[in-house]
């Protein structure tokens, strides 16, 4: 069977490709090969390849950004599936599409769960564009499967489980929302649902498709940490409290994302419990993490850099809880030495490379970790009579030939320090010359 998979670089698509490639011919495309928002290109591509099934994993999933980029989100989530439906019908293909609980309002009493035919009342841009996609499919063809899912996580992408694992490993306590209810869904299990639906040839239509059982983000987090033996206090907070604490503006989140799987199970498709899915994911995630050598800094002390008399420039760097802090000081007057600002960036170690991220998770800079040895360095100095003489001093050699003033250790026999040259004339680029070194002393 020939299957066209769109959005091929996404988390779910990776599972879909792996599952279906074993017995089928899979044509995997991403936006560079097939832009699903271009109706003409979609029709031409589908007519040329003539797949039997199209599995659409392409989507605009940035819920908050969709509020500002509605047109783009609607082209991808609304026009895209509509174009695929028209093309699929023309060549006689079946369409599989992934939708979301956001098409509902999310305000249903938590003692109940949503059925497929319940009233759709999306309150976010993301939910509205996804509903547009559903309607575009149902209006243009009959042979389709629309699977509504929620709280999706999996291997090969950033997700809630990975985030909580990182936070729990590096903090004494964390705050997690406890008034939003839903079903965590492992991408591999959603892929299995899609696979069984096609294999069993269940009736076409719309199905709720998440792991079985309901929980909150708070209880989900506790299970994530407990499953991995991570000790960290988890504090339950309301959505309102979280927004106030984090000082963020975000699209409204559904308080109830619980969806009944009765229709799916009536077709003979058994859905695993969410706790079972989590256990299997963590086992896979741990194996992958050990294989690629990923590790994270947990804590070190403040590292003081070479003094600089310029006003208001970074003079020290602190590595704490996997994050780098560049700290600005007043260098003159009564406020000398007083901290005035922290610039926080996330730090990740992988394969001997330091990766520094901004708040949005965007990679800002990479630095190679070096292990310099203590080396004799020649340095010419003038004596009290003005004669030049050459001294030998012992210090670590790095890429730059200036010294740090103090060294701080993270754990016994392991030191971290920074070679850094502040530049008052180019404040926007401050930090770009910072090199982080790790020295293991025997």
């Amino acid at each position: 069977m020939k299957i066209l998979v769109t959005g091929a670089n996404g988390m779910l698509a990776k599972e879909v490709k792996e599952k279906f490639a074993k017995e089928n011919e899979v044509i995997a495309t991403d936006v560079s090969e097939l832009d699903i928002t271009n109706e003409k290109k979609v029709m031409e591509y589908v007519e040329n390849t003539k797949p039997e099934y199209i599995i659409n994993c392409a989507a605009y999933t940035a819920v908050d950004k969709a509020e500002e980029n509605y047109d783009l989100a609607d082209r991808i989530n609304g026009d895209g599936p509509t174009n695929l439906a028209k093309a699929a019908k023309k060549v006689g293909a079946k369409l599989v599409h992934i939708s979301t609980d956001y098409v509902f309002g999310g305000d249903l009493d938590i003692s109940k769960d949503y059925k497929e035919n319940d009233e759709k009342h999306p309150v976010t841009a993301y939910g509205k564009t996804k509903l547009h996609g559903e309607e575009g499919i149902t209006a243009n063809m009959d042979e389709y499967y629309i699977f509504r899912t929620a709280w999706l996580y999996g291997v090969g992408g950033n997700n809630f489980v990975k985030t909580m694992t990182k936070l729990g490993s590096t903090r004494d306590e964390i705050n997690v929302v406890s008034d939003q209810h839903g079903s965590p869904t492992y991408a591999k299990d959603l892929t299995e649902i899609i696979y069984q639906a096609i294999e069993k040839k269940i009736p076409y239509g719309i199905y709720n498709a998440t792991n079985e059982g309901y929980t909150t983000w708070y209880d989900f987090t506790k299970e994530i940490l407990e499953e991995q033996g991570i000790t960290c206090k988890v504090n339950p907070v309301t959505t309102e409290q979280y927004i106030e604490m984090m000082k963020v503006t975000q699209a409204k989140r559904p308080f109830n994302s619980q969806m009944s799987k009765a229709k799916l199970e009536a077709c003979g498709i058994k859905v695993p419990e969410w706790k079972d899915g989590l256990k299997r994911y963590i086992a896979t995630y741990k194996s992958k993490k050990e294989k690629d050598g990923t590790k994270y800094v947990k804590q070190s002390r403040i590292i003081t850099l070479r003094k600089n008399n310029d006003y208001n420039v970074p003079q020290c760097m602190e590595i704490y809880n996997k994050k780098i802090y560049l700290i600005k000081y007043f260098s003159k007057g009564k406020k000398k030495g007083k901290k005035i600002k922290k610039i926080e960036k996330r730090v990740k170690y992988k394969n001997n490379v330091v990766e520094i991220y901004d708040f949005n998770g965007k990679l800002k800079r990479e630095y190679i970790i070096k292990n310099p040895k203590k080396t004799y360095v020649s340095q010419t100095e003038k004596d009290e009579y003005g004669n030049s003489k050459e001294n030998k001093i012992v210090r670590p050699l790095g890429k730059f030939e200036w010294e740090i003033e103090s060294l701080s250790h993270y754990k016994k026999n392991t030191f971290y320090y920074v070679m850094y040259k502040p530049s008052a004339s180019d404040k926007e680029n401050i930090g770009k010359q910072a090199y982080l070194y790790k020295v293991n002393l025997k």
Side-chain angles (χ1 to χ4, degrees), residues 4 33-51 54 79-93 140:
L4 171 62
E33 295 86 21
L34 178 61
D35 180 0
I36 65 171
T37 67
N38 189 319
E39 183 176 358
K40 182 179 179 181
K41 294 291 185 183
V42 169
M43 188 64 73
E44 289 176 353
Y45 195 93
V46 172
E47 285 183 325
N48 289 334
T49 55
K50 291 183 171 56
I54 300 173
D79 296 342
T82 304
N83 296 337
L84 290 170
K86 292 176 180 177
K89 184 176 182 180
K90 188 167 185 180
V91 301
N140 285 282

Side-chain angles (χ1 to χ4, degrees), residues 196-213:
Q196 288 190 45
I198 293 174
E199 284 293 299
K200 295 177 181 291
K201 294 182 171 60
I202 67 174
Y204 297 115
I206 299 175
Y207 295 85
N208 294 333
T210 64
N211 276 112
E212 193 60 83

Side-chain angles (χ1 to χ4, degrees), residues 3 137 185 383:
I3 301 173
I137 293 171
T185 305
D383 61 21

